[in-house]
Amino acid sequence: MSTTELPASPEFKANHAELMDGVYRWQRHIYDLTRKYYLLGRDRLIAGLDVPPGGTVLELGCGTGRNIILAARAYPDARFFGLDISAEMLETAGKAIDREGLSDRVVLARGDATDFAAKALFGKASFDRVFVSYSLSMIPGWEKTVSAALAALAPTGSLHVVDFGQQEGLPRWFRALLRGWLKKFHVTPRESLRDVLESEAERTGATFRFRTLYRGYAWLAVIKARHPTSQI
């Protein structure tokens, strides 16, 4: 497994990177064990990637590598690329990928999901699939991540997003407890997530699919690029 790193700059989001490293320096060791109970919809996202044979997949905010490993198993002919701002998380991800024997198919890089140069980091400018799983709710300026993800899509590619919804179908007390817990980890469900994704799809001429999961606990969306030669 190879890891590259975007050269540091005055705008490398150093404060956020340090914050994430601080939050997950110890949490990363139990992250997957604990998060499986409330990061719902991740496996559904992976199952819906429908990666073409020989395709390429980029995950923004790859964390411990849990999603990339499962996706690599599900799509054995594809190549995978993961980006994260936390060096601590990337260390854990790299070790997990090595243990799974996936080093020849997965490349990791440290960088900012709101502003990254895919060609410099991975040697590829575009990907057949890009996905973001429970990361937009942690990223300052997360709207820029959506734009950056769409810019990294191949002409017939698709962006897949799963994250916390607004728990609109759940009791208020549950929402209050959940948000209080998430705040401890600097996580904020994005109220405007659907609107931003839909707006970006419209701006780029892409198709947009959206669904709520578990009474609004999670939101799942797919933006599929329209090939330049396709007919409206």
Side-chain angles (χ1 to χ4, degrees):
M1 187 280 306
S2 61
T3 303
T4 58
E5 182 169 345
L6 186 67
S9 74
E11 298 298 324
F12 181 60
K13 313 295 186 184
N15 290 339
H16 185 58
E18 290 175 5
L19 174 64
M20 291 298 97
D21 279 343
V23 169
Y24 293 112
R25 181 163 288 114
W26 306 114
Q27 278 286 321
R28 63 192 171 101
H29 300 295
I30 59 170
Y31 186 92
D32 292 330
L33 179 64
T34 57
R35 267 57 176 185
K36 69 179 181 179
Y37 297 109
Y38 65 90
L39 298 187
L40 308 178
R42 294 181 297 172
D43 294 347
R44 188 173 299 197
L45 178 150
I46 292 170
L49 288 174
D50 192 25
V51 184
T56 54
V57 183
L58 169 65
E59 181 181 13
L60 298 178
C62 63
T64 62
R66 181 262 188 194
N67 295 325
I68 277 186
I69 289 171
L70 290 181
R73 291 176 184 165
Y75 305 99
D77 295 329
R79 289 178 294 151
F80 292 83
F81 304 84
L83 181 77
D84 205 281
I85 202 168
S86 170
E88 298 285 347
M89 283 297 214
L90 287 173
E91 181 182 349
T92 294
K95 291 178 179 178
I97 289 164
D98 287 341
R99 285 196 302 270
E100 293 292 327
L102 296 171
S103 302
D104 59 334
R105 294 174 49 214
V106 180
V107 176
L108 302 178
R110 189 182 185 205
D112 177 8
T114 68
D115 183 17
F116 60 93
K119 184 69 173 178
L121 290 169
F122 302 115
K124 291 191 62 63
S126 62
F127 306 85
D128 296 300
R129 302 288 183 267
V130 178
F131 72 94
V132 193
S133 171
Y134 285 96
S135 291
L136 294 179
S137 51
M138 300 184 68
I139 298 174
W142 61 274
E143 298 91 342
K144 294 180 181 178
T145 297
V146 176
S147 299
L150 291 173
L153 284 182
T156 57
S158 56
L159 168 63
H160 302 248
V161 175
V162 67
D163 215 312
F164 292 105
Q166 293 298 297
Q167 300 84 48
E168 55 269 29
L170 295 168
R172 288 186 179 181
W173 63 263
F174 180 88
R175 179 168 57 183
L177 285 176
L178 176 64
R179 296 198 173 206
W181 170 254
L182 295 177
K183 190 175 181 179
K184 296 177 183 293
F185 301 98
H186 305 276
V187 176
T188 304
R190 306 305 187 186
E191 184 176 359
S192 61
L193 178 60
R194 178 173 185 170
D195 292 339
V196 169
L197 292 174
E198 190 167 17
S199 176
E200 283 294 289
E202 184 176 336
R203 178 183 66 82
T204 58
T207 61
F208 178 66
R209 290 188 287 120
F210 179 90
R211 66 184 302 179
T212 61
L213 305 176
Y214 315 110
R215 298 171 64 186
Y217 180 92
W219 288 349
L220 178 65
V222 178
I223 297 177
K224 186 173 184 179
R226 181 177 285 119
H227 193 281
T229 61
S230 65
Q231 298 296 315
I232 298 177

